Amino acid sequence: QVQLVESGGGLLQAGAPLRLSCAASGRTFSSYSMGWFRQAPVKDREFVAAISRTGGYTYYADSVKGRFTISRDNAKNTVYLQMNSLKPEDTAVYYCAATNAAVSRSPRVYNYWGQGTQVTVSS
């Protein structure tokens, strides 16, 4: 089992950068594929980015490709989401998630979720 804690959210203006972090408990972090998802008010939770266990493979939603970068540091049990050129439509609660399965864009594959961190982008 793994516990996830996100941090780094905040209120910022459009165009600014922001880095989210997700710290995982346990000694088997490298055995989990990791993902970032987000949920805006009255919208379904949507895929943002995902990374394989070793970090060799990454996947992005079309809406964030070229602006967001997912990475992980298995020695620190942490996954990151670097967000650049933020837009008001990026406003959402951002969640990190872990799965024992292969990396996936589907939230249903992920077994473990953090509590989320709010990102608000003003125009």
Side-chain angles (χ1 to χ4, degrees), residues 12-14 88 121-123:
L12 60 163
Q13 290 191 331
V121 184
S122 62
S123 58

Side-chain angles (χ1 to χ4, degrees), residues 88-109:
E89 50 263 43
D90 294 318
T91 295
V93 178
Y94 283 72
Y95 300 89
C96 75
T99 177
N100 297 107
V103 62
S104 172
R105 299 170 182 262
S106 171
R108 291 176 293 181
V109 171

Side-chain angles (χ1 to χ4, degrees), residues 72-87:
R72 66 189 297 164
D73 185 337
N74 286 345
K76 295 183 178 180
N77 283 12
T78 302
V79 62
Y80 305 98
L81 185 67
Q82 177 67 45
M83 304 186 293
N84 296 328
S85 303
L86 279 162
K87 304 175 181 180

Side-chain angles (χ1 to χ4, degrees), residues 37-113:
F37 295 80
R38 67 187 182 187
Q39 188 166 17
V42 303
K43 290 189 176 181
D44 292 333
R45 190 169 298 188
E46 65 172 356
F47 169 75
V48 175
I51 189 166
S52 60
R53 297 178 183 91
T54 63
Y57 295 94
T58 56
Y59 303 90
Y60 298 93
D62 288 343
S63 59
V64 307
K65 198 172 295 182
R67 299 189 298 123
F68 291 11
T69 302
I70 188 172
S71 61
R72 66 189 297 164
D73 185 337
N74 286 345
K76 295 183 178 180
N77 283 12
T78 302
V79 62
Y80 305 98
L81 185 67
Q82 177 67 45
M83 304 186 293
N84 296 328
S85 303
L86 279 162
K87 304 175 181 180
E89 50 263 43
D90 294 318
T91 295
V93 178
Y94 283 72
Y95 300 89
C96 75
T99 177
N100 297 107
V103 62
S104 172
R105 299 170 182 262
S106 171
R108 291 176 293 181
V109 171
Y110 292 82
N111 312 95
Y112 307 102
W113 294 82

